[in-house]
Amino acid sequence: MSSKCRNYFRTDPKQKIQQRLIQLLHADNADIHLIDGFPIDVCLRTRARKSKIFKGEAAHGYCASKDKYFYGFQGHLLVDARGIPVNFTLTAANIDERDAAYDMIESIEGLMLGDKGYIRPQFKEDCQAVGINLQTPLRKNMKYERPKSFFRLIMRVRRRIETVTGQLAERFEIEKCRCRDIWHMTSIITRKLLAHNIGSFFNIKAGRPAIQFENLISAE
């Protein structure tokens, strides 16, 4: 894998189904989107030097939300406010998540919520240039230009993407790598995201919250 981001939501054939679902659910043109990254371990960091799997593709990285150093890749996820995945990009673990974000926001507009890792003046300006209002919590040394209650609201809404990542990790083990090449890895990830969106589609058709998957089969 090169140092550049790879947007497999655009290249995998299964995305024809995925993109159709996204359109039917109006997730791509929603008013609010949430963005975040998560680690994908290839192996233990202590074994990284000896590991031949993904040699020259995986890298060492750090996940601030988990306070975790790891060796592998980073998944970058964009969802709407209901928790429906709209876009996904895979990078080596050492790629800045703000750089990865450029590959996912080309087709959205409106409010986008991210964590502190997305703070960068140039990135915010670039978002504004394409009609995206990026909002993040502030670092301690930054001045509050809006009420603190606004940023507390951001954090509450942003938890939705953390819930989605947790569901994908618990149900599909999306944070674990169980293959030996990029093609199979990205195909598996795409299939997991598609399964999540199919569940959301049936939930919405049944008048249930999009990501409330408990007892989905018995829902009417």
Side-chain angles (χ1 to χ4, degrees):
M1 177 182 291
S2 70
S3 61
K4 296 182 179 180
C5 311
R6 293 186 176 186
N7 190 315
Y8 292 95
F9 252 52
R10 287 201 299 252
T11 59
D12 192 295
K14 288 186 288 294
Q15 290 316 310
K16 290 183 179 180
I17 303 174
Q18 181 73 287
Q19 291 298 335
R20 181 56 180 160
L21 275 175
I22 291 170
Q23 292 169 2
L24 289 173
L25 295 171
H26 303 289
D28 51 344
N29 56 16
D31 295 328
I32 302 175
H33 289 90
L34 319 174
I35 190 169
D36 203 3
F38 58 88
I40 301 176
D41 294 279
V42 168
C43 65
L44 296 174
R45 292 178 64 231
T46 54
R47 297 177 53 192
R49 292 183 61 184
K50 297 181 180 180
S51 176
K52 296 182 181 180
I53 303 175
F54 298 110
K55 199 73 174 180
E57 296 175 318
H60 292 275
Y62 175 71
C63 177
S65 62
K66 297 180 181 292
D67 191 20
K68 168 186 174 180
Y69 289 94
F70 66 101
Y71 175 75
F73 300 94
Q74 187 166 203
H76 307 270
L77 184 64
L78 182 77
V79 307
D80 73 359
R82 296 169 294 177
I84 298 171
V86 175
N87 218 329
F88 176 83
T89 290
L90 179 72
T91 69
N94 60 349
I95 300 300
D96 193 298
E97 57 190 351
R98 292 163 294 195
D99 294 331
Y102 286 103
D103 206 33
M104 296 192 293
I105 63 175
E106 298 173 350
S107 61
I108 67 168
E109 293 182 348
L111 181 63
M112 183 172 76
L113 306 181
D115 62 18
K116 295 178 183 178
Y118 292 92
I119 297 175
R120 180 196 283 167
Q122 185 60 56
F123 179 56
K124 187 174 181 65
E125 290 177 10
D126 292 341
C127 286
Q128 290 175 338
V130 294
I132 297 172
N133 177 16
L134 173 66
Q135 293 294 332
T136 67
L138 299 182
R139 298 192 177 105
K140 293 181 179 180
N141 62 344
M142 299 177 70
K143 182 180 179 181
Y144 282 85
E145 298 179 352
R146 295 187 176 185
K148 292 186 178 181
S149 58
F150 173 76
F151 293 101
R152 287 195 292 269
L153 176 62
I154 287 177
M155 293 302 293
R156 187 163 66 249
V157 175
R158 244 194 57 77
R159 291 194 186 100
R160 182 59 54 87
I161 194 170
E162 296 170 359
T163 298
V164 172
T165 303
Q167 289 176 332
L168 290 169
E170 179 182 351
R171 290 180 169 84
F172 301 114
E173 297 187 330
I174 200 168
E175 295 181 348
K176 296 181 180 180
C177 176
R178 301 191 184 281
C179 51
R180 304 177 67 89
D181 62 77
I182 290 292
W183 188 90
H184 284 95
M185 182 179 182
T186 55
S187 180
I188 290 170
I189 290 174
T190 301
R191 189 163 65 243
K192 293 174 179 180
L193 293 171
L194 178 57
H196 179 95
N197 275 357
I198 289 174
S200 294
F201 177 81
F202 284 121
N203 265 335
I204 292 172
K205 287 296 183 182
R208 294 157 51 93
I211 60 174
Q212 185 179 316
F213 298 121
E214 290 77 11
N215 302 316
L216 173 61
I217 295 177
S218 62
E220 296 182 358

